[in-house]
Amino acid sequence: DPESKAVQVFKKVPVTVSQFTSSLEISSLEVAGRVVLNDAPRVGKFEKQRLSVVPLPTRLASNENPVSVYFEIYNLKWNSFGKTHYRVDYEVETPSGGLSIVSALGKLIGQRPDEQSSRITYEHEGQTANEQMHVNLTFPETTGAAIRVTVRVTDLLDSVDNTRSATESVELNILQ
């Protein structure tokens, strides 16, 4: 816990999607206190290939420390060159607005803040049908606010008006 400096215990195993489905899927969103890119894949409880994802099970964040949201995308389609092309939309809803989304890699397509939410869209290209993603969130000078983060992934190689999409949400709170 960032406020009390108490140790947290993480017992929940993240939900993954069956490898036998062909529909576009997204894993549960994991709130992380830290996401680190490693030089090589590692094996361990919080290791996800080349990423170390240290969970924040309390889902409590502070104004001083950014929080990461980690997720995985499954069953993207490939083009004739063996590449994937997809869009990730992030929406963050707060009672007071003012939240910013940072550290999302990809081509920025648009951003639209309003009083109650911030939305940002990135386009990505990849080489595998399954992708790992994370985004860092920074917070305004707000305390006790409930934040709702929604991630929507759309496969842009879908031949029917880009209708293959998947959505997940998670809630967290901001401490002083």
Side-chain angles (χ1 to χ4, degrees), residues 106-125:
K107 180 181 176 187
L108 177 63
I109 300 303
Q111 183 170 7
R112 191 183 81 177
D114 62 30
E115 289 184 16
Q116 300 298 316
S117 67
S118 293
R119 294 178 190 90
I120 192 166
T121 300
Y122 284 91
E123 279 191 19
H124 301 271
E125 290 185 347

Side-chain angles (χ1 to χ4, degrees), residues 4 18 24 58 75 120 166:
S4 68
S18 169
L24 180 67
T58 60
N75 303 318
I120 192 166

Side-chain angles (χ1 to χ4, degrees), residues 19-53:
Q19 62 184 353
F20 301 109
T21 181
S22 62
S23 63
L24 180 67
E25 301 284 343
I26 184 173
S27 69
S28 299
L29 302 182
E30 294 181 49
V31 178
R34 185 177 69 230
V35 177
V36 178
L37 179 63
N38 301 314
D39 294 335
R42 295 183 180 181
V43 177
K45 190 168 190 170
F46 304 127
E47 306 302 323
K48 300 174 187 299
Q49 297 177 10
R50 291 185 56 209
L51 292 175
S52 294
V53 181

Side-chain angles (χ1 to χ4, degrees), residues 91-153:
E91 180 174 6
V92 182
E93 298 173 77
T94 64
S96 60
L99 194 78
S100 68
I101 302 170
V102 298
S103 295
L105 299 176
K107 180 181 176 187
L108 177 63
I109 300 303
Q111 183 170 7
R112 191 183 81 177
D114 62 30
E115 289 184 16
Q116 300 298 316
S117 67
S118 293
R119 294 178 190 90
I120 192 166
T121 300
Y122 284 91
E123 279 191 19
H124 301 271
E125 290 185 347
Q127 297 179 353
T128 63
N130 303 326
E131 295 285 343
Q132 296 177 299
M133 302 290 295
H134 71 279
V135 63
N136 294 333
L137 305 173
T138 58
F139 303 98
E141 295 298 322
T142 302
T143 59
I147 306 291
R148 180 172 194 77
V149 179
T150 302
V151 175
R152 180 181 182 92
V153 177

